[in-house]
Amino acid sequence: MTIDILTIFTEMFDSVLNASILGRARQAGLIEIEATDIRPFSASKHKNTDDYPFGGGAGMLMMAQPIADCMKAVCEKRGVPCLSNLEPHESAGVRRIYLSPRGVKLTQKLAQELSKEDHLILLCGHYEGVDQRALDKYIDLEVSIGDYVLTGGELGAMVLADCVARLIPGVLGSEESPQDESFSDAGLLEYPQYTRPREFEGMAVPDVLLNGDHAKIAAWRREQAIAVTLERRPDLLKTATLTEKEKRMLTVFDDRTL
Ligand code: ADE
């Protein structure tokens, strides 16, 4: 997969792209991620990327022209179409995404869907937003990483790139890892985990994990995952994959949960 990031702050991506799992995946050629500076594409003398909003209002807006020209250059370099308005099933392997609090919320399901594309182009906004015409013509999808407002789209782009990249086969060490965790197919939060030593500051590892009985361990983990989900995110239980017995058990806790 290739991820292109269009931003006026390329330097923000240096450490994130080079460290840890993303850095290793890039070095191994499993994923290519590149941040491109929008500013040099500005046609204005001083390479401005923002201007006052028509109709007044607080703050500045990112102008359409530098974004459009940057998008065209990146698409031409990669040999992909740069215009939006394709239906998702016609995405031709490329999705152009604008990070914005106004977007659809990033979920594990959306990350899984995006991880199947060959190419993502992420546009990071700044100031009070972006001229709508740039979005109408060059963006397929607006994505928010949560119900709060960031100073710009860069942190959102990092979050999206990270959670998509780890779903690409080979990026994580073990193929099983992305399945057996929070927001996996079962839709439950993850059970508690323990490593050595067996006792830490007076707290022991639960006995069941030490006896080597894999069926018992699996049953305990499942029970814990359901308990933790019930406690912290009962909303997830509405869509989680549960057995009839588990559903009956949960109605004892709270009739309104399911
Ligand atoms: N830019 C500003 N706030 C954002 C958010 N919540 N998600 C994605 N991009 C953003």
Side-chain angles (χ1 to χ4, degrees), residues 99-101 125 143-153 156:
L99 279 304
S100 138
V143 173
S144 164
I145 63 161
D147 289 340
Y148 40 79
V149 182
L150 302 164
T151 56

Side-chain angles (χ1 to χ4, degrees), residues 31 48 66 68 110-111 114 116-118 140-141 151 215-216 223 246 250:
I31 182 159
N48 292 338
L110 179 59
L114 295 176
K116 301 198 175 89
E117 302 284 4
D118 299 325
D140 302 307
L141 181 67
T151 56
K216 268 201 184 138
E223 196 186 288
E246 286 166 345
L250 278 167

Side-chain angles (χ1 to χ4, degrees), residues 100-108 110-111 142-147:
S100 138
R102 227 173 57 165
V104 296
K105 200 160 320 158
L106 179 62
T107 57
Q108 192 63 21
L110 179 59
E142 288 190 36
V143 173
S144 164
I145 63 161
D147 289 340

Side-chain angles (χ1 to χ4, degrees), residues 95-136:
R95 294 289 269 298
R96 288 145 290 240
I97 297 168
Y98 171 52
L99 279 304
S100 138
R102 227 173 57 165
V104 296
K105 200 160 320 158
L106 179 62
T107 57
Q108 192 63 21
K109 186 165 170 268
L110 179 59
Q112 263 149 8
E113 190 189 314
L114 295 176
S115 72
K116 301 198 175 89
E117 302 284 4
D118 299 325
H119 193 171
L120 301 179
I121 302 178
L122 310 182
L123 170 64
C124 305
H126 252 273
Y127 313 110
E128 291 305 311
V130 165
D131 186 316
Q132 184 63 38
R133 292 166 296 181
L135 306 179
D136 289 345

